[in-house]
Amino acid sequence: MTRLLPQAVDPILPPSVTSQARDLGPLESPLLWLAFAGAATAVLAVTIALAHRRRARRWGVSGSIALFLIAAITAVNSYVGYVRTPSDLGRLLQRGSGAMNVAGTLLRGTSDDPAEDSDPSTAGSSSGGSPAARPAAPSNANGSIEVLNVPDPAHGVRNGENYVVLPAGYHDPASAAKRYPVVYLIHGYPYGGPRDWLTSGSAPQTLKSLEDANVIQPMIIVSVDLTANRPSTDWECLNVPGGPQLETYLASSIVPSVDKHYRTFADRGHRALGGMSGGGFGALNIGLHHLGEFGTLLISLPYDDLNDSVGVLGGNQAAIAANTPRRYIPTMPFPQKIAVMLTVGTGAPTDVATAHRIAGSLQRRGQEVVVHAERGFNHTWHTARATLPYMLAFADQNFRTAPAAS
C-alpha cells in the first residue's frame, strides 16, 4: 500500500502568504461598525436634546434606529467575514429586486474583483446538456477564472455553475502540454454558493500568493456548485432520497467534466477535495466514499455527523448511517491511503474537539492526518480563509509525492 507522504505535516508558510489570508477586507473592519454605532449614539443624543421639536424627534429616532441596525449588521459581518469588499456586498444586493438589485449592479460594475462576471446564469451550453466553459474574467499573467456549467438533470441538478481558477500561464502556448493537479472546494450551507470561495474564501488571491512565493507548484482550483439550484436548502452534499444526488453529481459529473475540459492529472493522487463547514462535512463524507477519486481531503470547520441537518434524509436510517463518518470510520476499509488536513479556529472549542476526534479515528485506521489550529478565529469564513493557504500547501505536498499519472 503506497503512502502519500512519509508523514503528513503541517506546512510552514512565509508571512507574505499568511498575512494576505488573515487580513480583513474593507467591509470587515471593526472600525466600520464602531463608526456606525458612534454615529447612531450621536444622533440619538441630539434627538434627546431636541426632543421638544416634533419633526427633529421623528427624524432623529428613525435615523438612530437605522444606524444602529447598520452597526449590528456590520458587527456580525466583522465577526463572520462573509462580505469582504464592495463587490461582495453588490453580489448580495443583487439577490434582491428593484433598488437593491440596481445598487448591487452598480457596486459590482465599479469593482476590480477578478472573480466578477457579467451573468453566470448564461454560462455553458444551452443544448444537449453538454457542459461548456467560458471565461468569468480575462486571462492574464496572474491566471484566469472560468465558469464550467455542468447540468445533470438525471441527478436532480438542472445546471451547476462551477468556478475554475486557473494558474498563471495556463493558457500560454509554451504550457500547452502541461498538466495540473486539481483542488475541489465546496461551499457551506445553507445560502452558500460556488462564488463564496472566490470572494469570502479569497481562493484566487491565495493561489497567486502561494505561487509567487514558490511554495506550491501550479494547480487548478474548482469551486463547485452543490446547491442543486436551491441555495436555501441545507443539502450537506448528500445523495438525498427522492431529491438531488449531489455526491454522485460531484464524483461522476463534475470531476469528469473538469478532466475533459482542462489539462489535469486525472488520477486520485493529483486530486484533493475540500470545503468549509457544511462543505467540509461533504468533502469528508464524499472523499471517504470515493477513495478511488480523491487522495487528499482538506476539511475546514469540521463535523462528522449531520446533527440538525439529518432531516434532509427524511428519516432513512440506512442513508443516515451511510452518511455519518463518526459511525462508519472505525470499521470502514481503506484499500487506498488518504491524507487529511483538518483546520479550525481556537475560538471554536467544539470544532477543535471534533477535529481531534476525526483525526484520532482516521489515524487508528492507519491514515495520515494533520490538525491545523488558527489562533483566535471561530467557526467563520475568517478561519476558512486564513487556513486555505495551509490546505493548498498540504495538498501540494501530496501532489508532489503521488506517482506520475499515465
Side-chain angles (χ1 to χ4, degrees):
M1 195 178 293
T2 303
R3 294 170 69 93
L4 292 176
L5 286 171
Q7 183 178 4
V9 295
D10 193 352
I12 298 174
L13 302 180
S16 61
V17 172
T18 56
S19 61
Q20 179 271 327
R22 292 171 180 147
D23 283 349
L24 299 181
L27 297 186
E28 296 176 292
S29 172
L31 296 177
L32 192 62
W33 74 263
L34 287 171
F36 280 114
T41 302
V43 170
L44 183 60
V46 171
T47 301
I48 293 173
L50 299 176
H52 60 285
R53 298 185 181 182
R54 184 176 180 181
R55 179 175 296 181
R57 183 172 68 249
R58 183 172 65 250
W59 283 101
V61 169
S62 298
S64 60
I65 290 174
L67 287 169
F68 274 123
L69 285 174
I70 295 172
I73 292 170
T74 52
V76 170
N77 183 65
S78 178
Y79 174 80
V80 174
Y82 187 65
V83 181
R84 301 181 63 214
T85 66
S87 171
D88 294 351
L89 178 59
R91 174 172 53 88
L92 287 178
L93 292 176
Q94 281 191 311
R95 295 180 182 178
S97 58
M100 287 180 61
N101 186 275
V102 171
T105 301
L106 291 173
L107 280 171
R108 291 179 65 186
T110 58
S111 169
D112 59 359
D113 181 353
E116 287 302 330
D117 60 275
S118 56
D119 184 4
S121 64
T122 64
S125 172
S126 60
S127 63
S130 174
R134 70 172 179 83
S139 177
N140 54 49
N142 295 327
S144 61
I145 300 170
E146 297 182 355
V147 180
L148 181 67
N149 187 7
V150 184
D152 188 357
H155 290 113
V157 180
R158 185 176 68 254
N159 66 288
E161 308 294 351
N162 305 281
Y163 285 82
V164 182
V165 183
L166 299 172
Y170 179 88
H171 288 297
D172 290 350
S175 301
K178 186 172 184 179
R179 294 190 174 274
Y180 301 85
V182 185
V183 172
Y184 293 85
L185 296 175
I186 309 175
H187 53 79
Y189 289 96
Y191 295 105
R195 285 186 52 85
D196 290 350
W197 275 108
L198 276 63
T199 53
S200 307
S202 194
Q205 295 87 344
T206 297
L207 181 64
K208 182 179 184 302
S209 67
L210 286 165
E211 290 179 345
D212 288 349
N214 295 314
V215 173
I216 64 171
Q217 294 179 340
M219 64 176 64
I220 295 171
I221 295 176
V222 181
S223 184
V224 302
D225 184 353
L226 294 189
T227 64
N229 311 117
R230 288 170 57 186
S232 62
T233 301
D234 191 358
W235 297 117
E236 296 291 323
C237 313
L238 296 167
N239 282 347
V240 179
Q245 306 297 290
L246 292 173
E247 175 181 326
T248 302
Y249 172 61
L250 172 60
S252 301
S253 296
I254 294 177
V255 170
S257 294
V258 170
D259 288 338
K260 176 182 177 181
H261 284 85
Y262 298 95
R263 301 191 307 276
T264 67
F265 289 116
D267 65 272
R268 73 179 300 271
H270 295 91
R271 287 196 201 106
L273 178 61
M276 66 85 68
S277 192
F281 170 84
L284 177 66
N285 192 44
I286 294 173
L288 293 176
H289 288 171
H290 295 269
L291 297 176
E293 282 77 47
F294 303 100
T296 303
L297 302 183
L298 312 167
I299 316 301
S300 185
L301 319 180
Y303 52 92
D304 54 0
D305 56 49
L306 289 165
N307 296 315
D308 294 339
S309 303
V310 71
V312 76
L313 293 177
N316 186 316
Q317 294 303 310
I320 293 170
N323 292 284
T324 304
R326 188 173 183 176
R327 293 194 202 176
Y328 66 69
I329 290 175
T331 58
M332 71 171 284
F334 282 90
Q336 295 163 295
K337 292 188 74 67
I338 197 162
V340 182
M341 171 171 270
L342 301 142
T343 70
V344 295
T346 59
T350 299
D351 285 2
V352 175
T354 300
H356 285 287
R357 182 177 67 237
I358 296 171
S361 185
L362 288 168
Q363 287 166 343
R364 286 189 289 274
R365 304 294 295 154
Q367 308 310 302
E368 299 286 357
V369 189
V370 165
V371 176
H372 174 89
E374 195 71 15
R375 187 170 298 280
F377 287 127
N378 299 284
H379 191 98
T380 67
W381 269 106
H382 287 305
T383 303
R385 183 166 73 235
T387 60
L388 180 60
Y390 294 93
M391 294 195 293
L392 295 182
F394 181 81
D396 178 71
Q397 291 176 351
N398 291 289
F399 295 156
R400 290 173 188 256
T401 59
S406 59

